[in-house]
Amino acid sequence: MSESAFKRATLLLTRGSWSEASRISAILRKETVGGALLLVASAIALVLANSPWASAYDSLKNHRLGADVLGLDLNATLGTWASQGLLAIFFFVVGLELKREFVAGDLRDPARAALPIVAAVGGMVLPAVVFVAVTAHVGAGVTRGWAIPIATDIAFAVAVLAVIGTHLPSALRSFLLTLAVVDDLLAITVIAVFYTDQIRFWALVTAAVPLALFAVCVQRRVRAWWVLIPLALATWALVHESGVHATVAGVLLGLTVPVVRSTDAGGPEAGPGLAEHFEHRLRPLSAGFAVPVFAFFAAGVTVGGVDGFLDALADPLTIGIVAGLVIGKTFGVFGTARLVAAATRATLDAGLRWVDVFGLALLAGIGFTVSLLMGELAYGAGSKRDELVKIGVLSGSLIAATVAGVVLRLRNRHYRTLCAEEELDADHDGIPDVYTRGRGDGIGHP
């Protein structure tokens, strides 16, 4: 191996290609808007739940809608429809993003994929360990909520970056998004495996039929909504009936959509595929409507004044969630990244320091959407423990966001310099110069 090749192989968090960087920037811009709406919806829910309109808010959340259709139980509260119906759209987009990352993104390259994958696993294991360690003495099934602090809310995290005005360089943006994508994959696996009490196999097997038909249609580049939506709804309804959380259907549907388009001759061709088309159409619906509506119904918790809030914070369940998000998630992601570097004798790309990774690890401690969903699955929506979950998730996420904001803000002047370099296009060819420069400079440019 040549010296330059060895240097590339031992660098972590290098800058990717221009096409990948621009794609990630576009995604994060949309997530910024979605994150802002998520925060607004959560704030409104908290205000209503602790106001004279609390009973009206509860009545709205518990209003039942739907009916039995063809023997399927589709009568549920609006809160349940938000968590099992609207979040399926969110997880469909997650499935599209997973497919895109594995086929054409950073996860297709084992060298680039190793760090975010291992860091995501570390960021899942340690928060669960911390939660169990804090709550094990309580008993009465409280440790069932071990998965609550394992998830990262990318929309919330990006909204925090927008609020503090941080200009993350492309390598850190890519790491954050890829980490969140792998994190979502692990979370949906946990939901399917650990939070499914009883499986109706006839429904699960039957769900494979519309799922397979949907896969055949998208592989043939069928875009007709009147064909795809009924198949998707049938898959969702049957997965819901099976006892598996219906959001799993969203991921499975997303994974069937092709990423790379085909030529007229039928061969593969580089460029956007149907997955990008669907993502472009559905990400605004997911980030701008589905997730905020879920947050509106899920985040409304009655605090009970200062004393009630302090009592809730002192509960072991709440402490376990806060510790899992702030301590477990941070040191799970950061510590695993350091172990990878030590094991491979790798160093960070030029211009980056380990404090940057630590800041992103803190940002990964913002667990909101999926964490609230995990709480409902673990303890039951509207239960006393579910109320404590909401306080723990909100408190832990705000603490993680605040500390991450301070750490990343301290590095913002340096980030501005790196971003200015990444945006410079002296030859006016539409591609910043750093993405057309050779790798011989040792700073990870393609």
Side-chain angles (χ1 to χ4, degrees):
M1 181 183 291
S2 66
E3 181 179 353
S4 61
F6 179 77
K7 191 172 187 179
R8 289 200 304 271
T10 55
L11 286 177
L12 298 175
L13 296 181
T14 57
R15 184 182 295 121
S17 65
W18 165 240
S19 60
E20 186 69 4
S22 57
R23 184 185 73 87
I24 289 173
S25 295
I27 290 175
L28 295 184
R29 280 195 297 271
K30 293 177 182 176
E31 293 291 357
T32 300
V33 177
L37 293 174
L38 173 65
L39 295 178
V40 170
S42 303
I44 293 174
L46 283 170
V47 170
L48 288 177
N50 294 276
S51 73
W53 299 285
S55 60
Y57 170 76
D58 289 335
S59 296
L60 177 64
K61 181 169 63 174
N62 295 316
H63 178 71
R64 300 192 72 85
L65 186 68
D68 293 345
V69 179
L70 300 176
L72 304 179
D73 182 11
L74 299 179
N75 181 272
T77 66
L78 289 178
T80 301
W81 277 112
S83 64
Q84 299 225 22
L86 291 180
L87 277 194
I89 300 173
F90 165 75
F91 278 108
F92 178 76
V93 175
V94 168
L96 295 174
E97 187 59 36
L98 277 168
K99 185 75 173 285
R100 176 67 175 80
E101 287 292 328
F102 278 110
V103 174
D106 282 347
L107 294 179
R108 79 186 188 280
D109 181 357
R112 291 183 65 85
L115 182 60
I117 288 177
V118 175
V121 172
M124 170 183 173
V125 173
L126 191 57
V129 170
V130 169
F131 178 86
V132 172
V134 173
T135 61
H137 70 282
V138 178
V142 71
T143 55
R144 180 172 168 78
W146 62 269
I148 294 169
I150 71 172
T152 297
D153 194 309
I154 185 63
F156 200 151
V158 173
V160 170
L161 292 176
V163 169
I164 65 177
T166 299
H167 297 70
L168 287 183
S170 65
L172 294 181
R173 294 198 301 268
S174 177
F175 176 73
L176 177 62
L177 180 62
T178 307
L179 177 72
V181 168
V182 178
D183 191 287
D184 287 334
L185 174 61
L186 295 174
I188 200 67
T189 303
V190 167
I191 290 173
V193 175
F194 295 100
Y195 290 109
T196 300
D197 295 326
Q198 183 179 3
I199 297 180
R200 299 180 184 89
F201 286 100
W202 71 266
L204 197 59
V205 171
T206 307
V209 176
L211 177 62
L213 292 174
F214 183 91
V216 170
C217 289
V218 293
Q219 291 297 326
R220 293 177 177 274
R221 274 42 180 191
V222 173
R223 299 188 183 190
W225 66 267
W226 52 271
V227 174
L228 297 180
I229 290 181
L231 291 173
L233 289 176
T235 304
W236 174 89
L238 287 165
V239 170
H240 175 271
E241 184 68 16
S242 74
V244 177
H245 200 269
T247 52
V248 174
V251 174
L252 294 176
L253 289 164
L255 290 175
T256 67
V257 181
V259 169
V260 181
R261 67 187 180 193
S262 298
T263 62
D264 293 336
E269 176 188 351
L274 202 56
E276 187 169 328
H277 169 75
F278 285 160
E279 186 178 339
H280 177 73
R281 293 292 184 89
L282 291 176
R283 187 177 290 277
L285 177 62
S286 171
F289 179 74
V291 174
V293 170
F294 167 76
F296 174 77
F297 287 120
V301 55
T302 303
V303 175
V306 176
D307 291 338
F309 179 68
L310 293 177
D311 289 341
L313 283 180
D315 190 280
L317 174 56
T318 310
I319 295 172
I321 294 172
V322 173
L325 289 172
V326 179
I327 299 174
K329 197 73 176 177
T330 300
F331 289 97
V333 172
F334 179 74
T336 305
R338 289 305 303 260
L339 287 175
V340 169
T344 59
R345 297 184 179 180
T347 58
L348 292 179
D349 202 11
L352 298 180
R353 299 293 181 266
W354 281 109
V355 67
D356 302 321
V357 181
F358 186 73
L360 287 188
L362 281 164
L363 207 60
I366 300 175
F368 195 79
T369 304
V370 179
S371 291
L372 292 174
L373 176 60
M374 293 288 194
E376 290 186 1
L377 295 176
Y379 304 123
S383 65
K384 175 62 177 177
R385 284 180 176 171
D386 187 40
E387 299 294 295
L388 293 174
V389 167
K390 295 175 182 179
I391 293 175
V393 169
L394 290 168
S395 301
S397 297
L398 288 175
I399 293 171
T402 301
V403 181
V406 171
V407 173
L408 295 174
R409 186 69 183 174
L410 291 174
R411 292 279 290 166
N412 202 34
R413 178 177 296 180
H414 179 64
Y415 295 157
R416 287 179 182 274
T417 301
L418 292 179
C419 287
E421 178 188 359
E422 291 177 348
E423 294 169 359
L424 180 63
D425 183 16
D427 55 7
H428 304 291
D429 64 350
I431 301 177
D433 299 338
V434 294
Y435 295 99
T436 57
R437 194 183 306 164
R439 286 184 181 265
D441 52 13
I443 56 176
H445 305 322

